Amino acid sequence: MCLAIPGKIVEINGDMAIVDYGSEKREAKIVEEGYGLGDFVIVQGKIVIEKVPEEEVKQWLELLK
Amino acid sequence: MKPEVFFLKYSFPCALICQQMGEIDEAEVKELEDAATTSVPLPREKLERIFFRAFKRIDSIAEELGRDRWDLDVLEEFFLKRHNEIVEKGFEISGKVPRTLKELCKVHVAEIVEKKGDVLIVKFGNKTRPVHNKLVPEAKVGDLVTIHYGYAVEIVS
């Protein structure tokens, strides 16, 4: 399923990323180029749909805690 | 299209926000997705309960147009014409809404530039986004679609 908060890419194997949400890690597919280790991303339905600038991450977490 | 189906196709991508806020659980999100992808109308009471924020806005449009909240014209006016402006103002959540969240929450019209299995790469403005094709399995490269979060919702071309 999906979490509506940014997670951090901590591992990439081919086109599969491991996304770390702090409390848990989930696998998601990278469909577009331009994502790398350390990027904060939004996943929906097991695909990475958007990158979140690091300066926005705190705002997201405060809003949707 | 039945108004319940139209409503759900546009609203279910943002159910993950409701899930994140603890208002619905993962099983309910799955149920919403299944109903949206199979065009099965869910009970109005259920949709009104889950998406109560949307209905606050829909009700004011319905009143303005002198129609019912489930009138298809009212729902179209909400999702296709007023929704983005409401999002820009910060919707019903208190606190500062991050730019990226606002953009995901808006309904955009985008062009399909690539199809990778059941994922569509769509282009709008100067950016691209991968979206699921579950709601529009027949969509092909070159088609214009509306998108909401990580889903293409309707073909508009």
Side-chain angles (χ1 to χ4, degrees):
Chain A
M1 218 43 232
C2 41
L3 293 169
I5 54 169
K8 190 177 186 174
I9 297 180
V10 291
E11 201 180 318
I12 297 176
N13 304 306
D15 59 359
M16 294 306 290
I18 306 288
V19 182
D20 188 354
Y21 291 96
S23 55
E24 61 180 314
K25 289 185 178 129
R26 296 199 181 200
E27 211 176 30
K29 191 171 180 181
I30 299 176
V31 193
E32 270 191 314
E33 286 177 9
Y35 292 94
L37 289 177
D39 283 346
F40 285 91
V41 294
I42 298 298
V43 173
Q44 189 169 36
K46 293 188 175 145
I47 62 169
V48 176
I49 60 167
E50 196 65 82
K51 193 185 292 192
V52 176
E54 198 161 348
E55 65 270 18
E56 275 188 19
V57 172
K58 202 164 156 253
Q59 272 184 357
W60 275 79
L61 299 180
E62 279 173 7
L63 189 68
L64 296 174
K65 62 191 165 196
Chain B
M1 195 186 301
K2 287 193 171 166
E4 295 89 345
V5 173
F6 177 86
F7 178 85
L8 188 59
K9 281 181 194 287
Y10 275 96
S11 60
F12 102 84
C14 85
L16 83 168
I17 300 289
C18 308
Q19 184 190 354
Q20 187 66 42
M21 296 178 89
E23 295 164 0
I24 56 174
D25 61 22
E26 196 159 325
E28 268 185 301
V29 174
K30 182 76 173 67
E31 186 196 348
L32 293 174
E33 188 189 58
D34 290 347
T37 51
T38 53
S39 296
V40 171
L42 290 178
R44 292 182 175 187
E45 302 70 37
K46 186 181 180 77
L47 297 171
E48 288 166 353
R49 173 176 61 80
I50 295 173
F51 299 101
F52 66 93
R53 291 184 189 82
F55 278 101
K56 276 192 206 165
R57 304 298 185 156
I58 290 167
D59 280 346
S60 64
I61 294 171
E63 194 182 337
E64 190 187 315
L65 299 181
R67 310 268 190 95
D68 186 79
R69 53 163 43 174
W70 282 102
D71 187 297
L72 201 51
D73 289 343
V74 170
L75 297 177
E76 281 182 1
E77 177 75 17
F78 173 65
F79 282 112
L80 304 178
K81 295 184 183 156
R82 313 263 184 112
H83 182 264
N84 290 2
E85 191 191 329
I86 292 166
V87 170
E88 196 50 53
K89 285 178 182 163
F91 35 63
E92 293 291 334
I93 297 175
S94 59
K96 193 165 162 42
V97 181
R99 167 70 18 210
T100 322
L101 178 55
K102 281 186 180 176
E103 288 310 312
L104 284 170
C105 183
K106 284 180 186 172
V107 174
H108 301 278
V109 174
E111 184 185 350
I112 300 171
V113 292
E114 202 181 337
K115 191 169 189 286
K116 293 183 173 179
D118 51 11
V119 175
L120 307 168
I121 309 291
V122 299
K123 186 171 188 292
F124 58 105
N126 58 359
K127 71 183 304 291
T128 58
R129 184 190 301 167
V131 294
H132 294 279
N133 78 339
K134 283 182 182 179
L135 298 176
V136 285
E138 72 279 24
K140 57 189 189 306
V141 172
D143 286 347
L144 290 179
V145 288
T146 49
I147 60 167
H148 196 199
Y149 288 88
Y151 289 84
V153 181
E154 277 190 299
I155 299 174
V156 292
S157 57

Coordinates of all heavy atoms in Angstrom, one line a residue, chain A residues 1-57:
Chain A
M1 N 0.8 -1.2 0.0 CA 0.0 0.0 0.0 C 0.9 1.2 0.0 O 2.0 1.2 -0.5 CB -0.9 -0.1 1.2 CG -2.3 0.4 1.0 SD -3.0 -0.1 -0.5 CE -3.6 1.4 -1.2
C2 N 0.4 2.3 0.5 CA 1.2 3.5 0.4 C 1.1 4.4 1.7 O 0.1 4.3 2.4 CB 0.6 4.3 -0.8 SG -1.1 4.3 -0.8
L3 N 2.1 5.2 1.9 CA 2.1 6.1 3.0 C 2.1 7.5 2.4 O 2.8 7.8 1.5 CB 3.3 5.9 3.9 CG 3.3 4.6 4.6 CD1 4.7 4.4 5.2 CD2 2.3 4.5 5.7
A4 N 1.3 8.4 3.0 CA 1.2 9.8 2.5 C 2.3 10.7 3.0 O 2.1 11.9 3.1 CB -0.2 10.3 2.8
I5 N 3.4 10.1 3.5 CA 4.5 10.9 4.0 C 5.7 10.6 3.2 O 5.8 9.5 2.7 CB 4.7 10.8 5.5 CG1 4.9 9.3 5.8 CG2 3.6 11.4 6.3 CD1 5.4 9.0 7.2
P6 N 6.7 11.5 3.2 CA 7.9 11.2 2.4 C 8.7 10.1 3.2 O 8.8 10.1 4.4 CB 8.7 12.5 2.4 CG 7.7 13.6 2.9 CD 6.7 12.9 3.7
G7 N 9.3 9.2 2.4 CA 10.3 8.2 2.9 C 11.6 8.5 2.2 O 11.7 9.1 1.2
K8 N 12.6 7.9 2.8 CA 14.0 8.1 2.3 C 14.5 6.9 1.6 O 14.4 5.8 2.1 CB 14.9 8.5 3.4 CG 16.3 9.0 3.0 CD 17.1 9.3 4.3 CE 18.4 9.9 3.9 NZ 19.1 10.4 5.1
I9 N 15.0 7.0 0.4 CA 15.5 5.9 -0.4 C 16.8 5.5 0.3 O 17.8 6.3 0.3 CB 15.7 6.2 -1.9 CG1 14.4 6.5 -2.5 CG2 16.4 5.1 -2.6 CD1 14.5 6.9 -4.0
V10 N 16.9 4.3 0.8 CA 18.1 3.8 1.5 C 18.8 2.7 0.7 O 19.9 2.3 1.1 CB 17.8 3.3 2.9 CG1 17.4 4.5 3.8 CG2 16.7 2.3 3.0
E11 N 18.1 2.2 -0.3 CA 18.8 1.1 -1.1 C 18.1 1.1 -2.4 O 16.9 1.3 -2.5 CB 18.5 -0.2 -0.3 CG 19.5 -1.3 -0.7 CD 19.2 -2.6 0.1 OE1 18.9 -2.5 1.3 OE2 19.2 -3.7 -0.5
I12 N 18.9 0.8 -3.5 CA 18.3 0.7 -4.8 C 18.9 -0.6 -5.4 O 20.1 -0.8 -5.5 CB 18.7 1.9 -5.7 CG1 18.0 3.1 -5.2 CG2 18.1 1.6 -7.2 CD1 18.3 4.4 -6.0
N13 N 18.0 -1.5 -5.9 CA 18.4 -2.7 -6.6 C 17.7 -2.7 -7.9 O 16.5 -3.0 -8.0 CB 18.0 -4.0 -5.8 CG 18.6 -4.0 -4.4 OD1 19.8 -3.8 -4.2 ND2 17.7 -4.1 -3.4
G14 N 18.5 -2.4 -9.0 CA 17.8 -2.3 -10.3 C 16.8 -1.2 -10.3 O 17.2 0.0 -10.0
D15 N 15.5 -1.5 -10.5 CA 14.5 -0.4 -10.5 C 13.7 -0.5 -9.2 O 12.7 0.2 -9.1 CB 13.6 -0.5 -11.7 CG 12.9 -1.8 -11.9 OD1 13.1 -2.7 -11.0 OD2 12.1 -1.9 -12.8
M16 N 14.1 -1.3 -8.2 CA 13.4 -1.4 -7.0 C 14.2 -0.6 -5.9 O 15.4 -0.7 -5.7 CB 13.2 -2.8 -6.5 CG 12.3 -3.6 -7.4 SD 10.7 -2.9 -7.7 CE 9.9 -3.1 -6.1
A17 N 13.4 0.2 -5.2 CA 14.0 1.0 -4.1 C 13.5 0.5 -2.8 O 12.3 0.1 -2.7 CB 13.7 2.5 -4.3
I18 N 14.3 0.6 -1.7 CA 13.8 0.4 -0.4 C 13.7 1.8 0.2 O 14.6 2.6 0.3 CB 14.9 -0.4 0.5 CG1 15.2 -1.7 -0.2 CG2 14.3 -0.6 1.9 CD1 14.2 -2.8 -0.2
V19 N 12.4 2.0 0.7 CA 12.1 3.4 1.2 C 11.9 3.3 2.7 O 11.1 2.5 3.2 CB 10.9 3.9 0.5 CG1 10.6 5.3 1.0 CG2 11.0 3.9 -1.0
D20 N 12.6 4.1 3.4 CA 12.6 4.0 4.9 C 11.7 5.1 5.4 O 11.9 6.3 5.1 CB 14.1 4.3 5.4 CG 14.2 4.0 6.9 OD1 13.2 3.8 7.5 OD2 15.3 4.1 7.4
Y21 N 10.7 4.7 6.2 CA 9.8 5.6 6.8 C 10.1 5.8 8.3 O 9.2 6.4 9.1 CB 8.3 5.2 6.6 CG 7.9 5.2 5.2 CD1 8.0 4.1 4.4 CD2 7.4 6.4 4.6 CE1 7.6 4.2 3.0 CE2 7.1 6.5 3.3 CZ 7.1 5.4 2.5 OH 6.8 5.4 1.2
G22 N 11.2 5.4 8.8 CA 11.5 5.5 10.2 C 11.0 4.3 11.0 O 11.8 3.4 11.4
S23 N 9.7 4.1 11.0 CA 9.1 3.0 11.7 C 9.1 1.7 10.9 O 9.0 0.6 11.5 CB 7.6 3.3 12.1 OG 6.9 3.7 11.0
E24 N 9.2 1.9 9.6 CA 9.2 0.7 8.8 C 9.8 1.0 7.4 O 10.0 2.2 7.1 CB 7.8 0.1 8.5 CG 6.9 1.2 7.9 CD 5.5 0.6 7.6 OE1 5.3 -0.5 7.2 OE2 4.5 1.4 7.9
K25 N 10.2 -0.1 6.7 CA 10.7 0.1 5.4 C 9.8 -0.6 4.4 O 9.2 -1.6 4.7 CB 12.1 -0.5 5.3 CG 13.2 0.2 6.0 CD 14.5 -0.4 5.8 CE 15.6 0.5 6.6 NZ 16.4 -0.4 7.4
R26 N 9.7 0.0 3.2 CA 8.8 -0.6 2.2 C 9.5 -0.5 0.8 O 10.3 0.4 0.6 CB 7.5 0.2 2.1 CG 6.7 0.1 3.4 CD 5.2 0.4 3.1 NE 4.5 0.3 4.4 CZ 3.2 0.1 4.4 NH1 2.4 0.1 3.3 NH2 2.6 0.1 5.6
E27 N 9.1 -1.5 0.0 CA 9.7 -1.5 -1.4 C 8.9 -0.8 -2.4 O 7.6 -0.8 -2.3 CB 9.8 -3.0 -1.8 CG 11.0 -3.3 -2.7 CD 11.1 -4.8 -3.0 OE1 10.0 -5.5 -3.0 OE2 12.2 -5.2 -3.2
A28 N 9.5 -0.1 -3.3 CA 8.7 0.7 -4.3 C 9.5 0.7 -5.6 O 10.8 0.6 -5.6 CB 8.5 2.1 -3.8
K29 N 8.8 0.7 -6.7 CA 9.4 0.7 -8.0 C 9.8 2.1 -8.5 O 8.9 3.0 -8.4 CB 8.5 0.0 -9.0 CG 9.2 -0.3 -10.3 CD 8.2 -1.2 -11.1 CE 8.9 -1.6 -12.5 NZ 8.0 -2.4 -13.3
I30 N 11.0 2.3 -9.0 CA 11.3 3.6 -9.6 C 11.1 3.4 -11.1 O 11.7 2.6 -11.8 CB 12.8 3.9 -9.4 CG1 13.1 4.0 -7.9 CG2 13.2 5.1 -10.1 CD1 14.6 4.2 -7.5
V31 N 10.2 4.3 -11.6 CA 9.8 4.2 -13.0 C 10.5 5.2 -13.9 O 10.7 5.0 -15.1 CB 8.3 4.3 -13.2 CG1 7.8 3.9 -14.6 CG2 7.5 3.5 -12.1
E32 N 10.9 6.3 -13.3 CA 11.5 7.4 -14.0 C 13.0 7.5 -13.5 O 13.3 7.2 -12.4 CB 10.9 8.7 -13.6 CG 9.7 9.1 -14.5 CD 9.3 10.6 -14.2 OE1 9.2 10.9 -13.0 OE2 9.1 11.3 -15.1
E33 N 13.8 8.1 -14.4 CA 15.2 8.3 -14.0 C 15.2 9.5 -13.0 O 14.2 10.3 -12.9 CB 16.0 8.7 -15.2 CG 16.3 7.4 -16.0 CD 17.1 7.8 -17.3 OE1 17.6 8.9 -17.4 OE2 17.3 6.9 -18.1
G34 N 16.3 9.7 -12.4 CA 16.5 10.9 -11.6 C 16.4 10.7 -10.1 O 16.3 11.7 -9.3
Y35 N 16.2 9.5 -9.7 CA 16.2 9.2 -8.2 C 17.4 8.5 -7.7 O 18.0 7.7 -8.4 CB 14.9 8.3 -7.9 CG 13.6 9.0 -8.1 CD1 13.0 8.9 -9.4 CD2 13.1 9.8 -7.2 CE1 11.7 9.5 -9.6 CE2 11.9 10.5 -7.4 CZ 11.2 10.3 -8.6 OH 10.0 11.0 -8.8
G36 N 17.9 8.9 -6.5 CA 19.1 8.3 -6.0 C 19.0 8.0 -4.5 O 18.0 8.4 -3.9
L37 N 20.0 7.4 -4.0 CA 20.1 7.2 -2.5 C 20.0 8.5 -1.8 O 20.6 9.5 -2.2 CB 21.4 6.5 -2.2 CG 21.5 5.0 -2.6 CD1 22.9 4.5 -2.2 CD2 20.5 4.2 -2.0
G38 N 19.2 8.5 -0.7 CA 19.1 9.7 0.1 C 17.9 10.6 -0.3 O 17.6 11.5 0.5
D39 N 17.3 10.4 -1.4 CA 16.2 11.2 -1.9 C 15.0 10.9 -1.0 O 14.7 9.7 -0.7 CB 15.9 10.9 -3.3 CG 16.8 11.6 -4.3 OD1 17.6 12.4 -3.9 OD2 16.8 11.2 -5.5
F40 N 14.2 11.9 -0.7 CA 12.9 11.7 0.0 C 11.9 11.7 -1.1 O 11.8 12.5 -2.0 CB 12.6 12.9 0.9 CG 13.5 12.8 2.2 CD1 14.7 13.4 2.3 CD2 13.0 12.0 3.3 CE1 15.5 13.3 3.4 CE2 13.8 11.9 4.4 CZ 15.0 12.6 4.5
V41 N 11.0 10.6 -1.0 CA 10.0 10.4 -2.1 C 8.7 10.1 -1.5 O 8.5 9.7 -0.4 CB 10.5 9.2 -3.0 CG1 11.8 9.6 -3.8 CG2 10.7 8.0 -2.2
I42 N 7.7 10.3 -2.4 CA 6.3 9.8 -2.1 C 6.0 8.6 -3.0 O 6.3 8.6 -4.2 CB 5.3 11.0 -2.5 CG1 5.5 12.2 -1.6 CG2 3.9 10.5 -2.3 CD1 5.4 12.0 -0.1
V43 N 5.4 7.6 -2.3 CA 5.1 6.4 -3.0 C 3.6 6.2 -3.0 O 3.0 6.4 -2.0 CB 5.8 5.2 -2.3 CG1 5.3 3.8 -2.9 CG2 7.3 5.3 -2.3
Q44 N 3.0 5.8 -4.1 CA 1.6 5.5 -4.1 C 1.4 4.2 -5.0 O 1.9 4.1 -6.1 CB 0.7 6.6 -4.7 CG -0.8 6.3 -4.5 CD -1.7 7.5 -4.7 OE1 -1.4 8.3 -5.6 NE2 -2.7 7.6 -3.9
G45 N 0.7 3.2 -4.4 CA 0.5 2.0 -5.1 C 1.8 1.3 -5.5 O 1.9 0.8 -6.6
K46 N 2.8 1.4 -4.7 CA 4.1 0.7 -4.9 C 5.0 1.3 -6.0 O 5.9 0.7 -6.4 CB 3.9 -0.8 -5.1 CG 3.4 -1.5 -3.8 CD 3.4 -2.9 -4.0 CE 3.0 -3.6 -2.7 NZ 2.2 -4.8 -2.8
I47 N 4.6 2.5 -6.5 CA 5.6 3.2 -7.4 C 6.0 4.5 -6.8 O 5.2 5.2 -6.1 CB 5.1 3.4 -8.8 CG1 3.8 4.2 -8.9 CG2 4.9 2.0 -9.5 CD1 3.4 4.7 -10.3
V48 N 7.2 4.9 -7.1 CA 7.7 6.3 -6.6 C 7.1 7.3 -7.6 O 7.3 7.2 -8.8 CB 9.2 6.3 -6.7 CG1 9.7 7.7 -6.3 CG2 9.8 5.3 -5.7
I49 N 6.2 8.2 -7.0 CA 5.6 9.2 -7.9 C 6.2 10.6 -7.8 O 6.0 11.4 -8.7 CB 4.0 9.2 -7.7 CG1 3.7 9.6 -6.3 CG2 3.4 7.9 -8.1 CD1 2.2 10.0 -6.1
E50 N 6.9 10.9 -6.7 CA 7.3 12.3 -6.6 C 8.5 12.4 -5.7 O 8.6 11.6 -4.7 CB 6.2 13.1 -6.1 CG 6.4 14.6 -6.3 CD 6.4 15.1 -7.7 OE1 5.4 15.3 -8.4 OE2 7.6 15.2 -8.2
K51 N 9.4 13.3 -6.0 CA 10.5 13.6 -5.1 C 10.1 14.8 -4.2 O 9.5 15.8 -4.7 CB 11.8 13.9 -5.9 CG 13.0 14.0 -5.1 CD 14.2 14.4 -5.9 CE 14.6 13.4 -7.0 NZ 15.9 13.7 -7.6
V52 N 10.5 14.8 -2.9 CA 10.1 15.9 -2.0 C 11.5 16.6 -1.6 O 12.4 15.9 -1.1 CB 9.4 15.4 -0.8 CG1 9.2 16.5 0.2 CG2 8.1 14.7 -1.1
P53 N 11.6 17.9 -1.9 CA 12.8 18.6 -1.5 C 13.0 18.4 0.0 O 12.0 18.5 0.8 CB 12.5 20.0 -1.8 CG 11.3 20.0 -2.8 CD 10.6 18.8 -2.5
E54 N 14.3 18.2 0.4 CA 14.6 18.0 1.8 C 14.0 19.0 2.8 O 13.6 18.7 3.9 CB 16.1 17.8 2.0 CG 16.4 17.1 3.3 CD 17.8 16.5 3.3 OE1 18.5 16.5 2.2 OE2 18.3 16.1 4.3
E55 N 14.0 20.3 2.3 CA 13.5 21.4 3.2 C 12.0 21.3 3.4 O 11.5 21.9 4.4 CB 13.9 22.7 2.6 CG 13.3 23.1 1.3 CD 14.1 22.7 0.1 OE1 15.0 21.8 0.3 OE2 13.9 23.3 -1.0
E56 N 11.3 20.5 2.6 CA 9.9 20.3 2.8 C 9.5 19.2 3.7 O 8.4 19.1 4.2 CB 9.2 20.1 1.5 CG 8.8 21.3 0.7 CD 8.0 21.0 -0.5 OE1 7.3 19.9 -0.6 OE2 7.9 21.9 -1.4
V57 N 10.4 18.3 3.9 CA 10.1 17.0 4.6 C 9.6 17.3 6.0 O 8.6 16.7 6.4 CB 11.4 16.1 4.7 CG1 11.1 14.9 5.6 CG2 11.8 15.6 3.3

